[in-house]
Amino acid sequence: MATAENTDTKKKKKKRGCFWRIVFWLALVVFIGSVGTLGYLFYTYWQGQNEYEEIASRTVEVPEDGQVTNLADLVVDWDALRAINPDIVAWVYMPGTIINYPVAHKDGDSEYYLHHNFSLGEGSFGAEFGSIMLSGENAGDFSDEVNILYGHHMRNGSMFALFAEFRDSAIFNEHRTIYLLTPEGNYRLQTFAVEHVPMTHASIATPNYPTDEEFSAFKDWLVEESIVTPDPDTTDTLADATKLFGFCTCDGADNTWRYITFADVAEFVPISYVGADTYQGDTAVEDGAADEIAADAQERAEN
């Protein structure tokens, strides 16, 4: 015959068993929910990158081996891209990396394409791919002295995540060439500095400077404050540069700091030569076309 003490013991064991069953099922629900959320995030990463790769396959001609021998051979179907999104202003391509994306631009708006991809889909649950975009403060034809392009630092290494890795001089020096293809012509850009600045440092993205002296001072500042050591050192050509390009992404920590890789123009091919066999140049700036665009920026600044 069970004693009162044995009965109490059984009740306590039953309560403890019930408690741990509840803990187990709650943990299982949390685990399944976490796995489901993680799976959804990975799916959106795959879907976003796959969309951009599909667009690239239909609209851009770049060498499969990444060896660009003639800047004029990089051809973009601008009409096809405008049919997808009329805000297209450029295509950015870096051989040997995942960077091969369209660039969108909304005048005066640097927020919209943080949350909308190039085909205008909207992200969710923090898995937004967005679109590579030219700053809304810049002119859409890249006629400014300082042109800033923004891209997300995605966890899977896509979009502009690579530019955060450029804080390492060795990685930076492995990728010194960036191609920026535009409806006005093709740019071959050469990187020369990486800056790590708080997102409140808005002056680094100033499109144009009132005087040549102030623009020269800004270029000197970029070299002095750079967190990497270029090898080879190409900053001796920077004094004559009339146009700079900055490729910006967050540092991946708390999104309050930015990495910006700066480059100047090594070569420019006007659109009339792109896709034609007549262009054989490999010199700095063909026909002075980039200088003419820069002159337009100076005229706007003076007015």
Side-chain angles (χ1 to χ4, degrees):
M1 185 174 179
T3 65
E5 183 178 348
N6 289 339
T7 301
D8 289 342
T9 300
K10 290 180 180 179
K11 287 181 178 179
K12 289 178 181 178
K13 288 182 178 180
K14 186 175 182 181
K15 286 180 180 179
R16 285 199 296 268
C18 184
F19 170 76
W20 286 114
R21 279 196 296 272
I22 292 173
V23 170
F24 169 78
W25 286 111
L26 286 175
L28 183 61
V29 169
V30 170
F31 173 76
I32 293 173
S34 299
V35 170
T37 300
L38 188 62
Y40 176 77
L41 289 174
F42 278 117
Y43 171 73
T44 57
Y45 288 152
W46 172 84
Q47 185 182 46
Q49 182 61 27
N50 187 63
E51 176 182 324
Y52 281 112
E53 290 176 357
E54 194 275 331
I55 291 174
S57 69
R58 292 189 289 113
T59 60
V60 182
E61 295 179 20
V62 296
E64 292 184 3
D65 60 2
Q67 299 299 313
V68 180
T69 57
N70 191 330
L71 186 55
D73 291 341
L74 301 177
V75 179
V76 177
D77 187 340
W78 297 110
D79 289 336
L81 286 171
R82 290 187 188 102
I84 301 171
N85 187 341
D87 288 340
I88 181 71
V89 292
W91 191 278
V92 59
Y93 167 61
M94 185 180 293
T97 77
I98 201 170
I99 296 176
N100 190 30
Y101 298 110
V103 180
H105 174 258
K106 277 189 177 296
D107 188 30
D109 186 345
S110 295
E111 295 290 331
Y112 182 83
Y113 283 107
L114 292 176
H115 311 291
H116 294 80
N117 60 20
F118 184 71
S119 58
L120 304 181
E122 189 169 4
S124 58
F125 293 104
E128 296 154 331
F129 250 68
S131 175
I132 305 303
M133 65 177 178
L134 175 65
S135 169
E137 302 303 312
N138 282 125
D141 60 358
F142 296 92
S143 58
D144 292 320
E145 291 175 327
V146 182
N147 303 271
I148 304 294
L149 288 79
Y150 296 97
H152 282 308
H153 182 172
M154 302 299 288
R155 292 185 180 90
N156 66 346
S158 58
M159 301 304 278
F160 272 5
L162 177 64
F163 287 115
E165 302 303 315
F166 281 11
R167 63 186 181 274
D168 183 324
S169 291
I171 299 176
F172 168 81
N173 286 314
E174 288 177 7
H175 305 286
R176 296 293 300 279
T177 299
I178 303 173
Y179 294 97
L180 190 73
L181 317 177
T182 79
E184 289 76 35
N186 292 352
Y187 292 91
R188 176 168 61 85
L189 307 178
Q190 182 173 254
T191 61
F192 65 86
V194 175
E195 311 299 332
H196 190 217
V197 296
M199 64 181 299
T200 53
H201 196 326
S203 62
I204 200 171
T206 299
N208 296 292
Y209 287 82
T211 66
D212 291 340
E213 290 74 17
E214 289 176 85
F215 184 44
S216 294
F218 173 67
K219 290 185 287 186
D220 291 341
W221 181 87
L222 290 176
V223 173
E224 292 169 2
E225 296 297 319
S226 177
I227 62 174
V228 297
T229 303
D231 183 18
D233 186 352
T234 58
T235 54
D236 58 335
T237 64
L238 192 59
D240 296 327
T242 58
K243 187 189 301 294
L244 304 180
F245 296 82
F247 298 85
C248 179
T249 195
C250 64
D251 68 1
D254 57 7
N255 291 339
T256 60
W257 285 70
R258 299 286 184 266
Y259 287 107
I260 310 179
T261 297
F262 277 91
D264 60 354
V265 180
E267 183 182 4
F268 177 81
V269 178
I271 196 64
S272 58
Y273 289 98
V274 174
D277 296 331
T278 55
Y279 178 79
Q280 300 298 327
D282 57 0
T283 56
V285 180
E286 179 70 14
D287 288 346
D291 289 331
E292 292 175 8
I293 294 175
D296 293 340
Q298 183 66 28
E299 183 178 348
R300 283 205 314 276
E302 292 172 354
N303 293 334

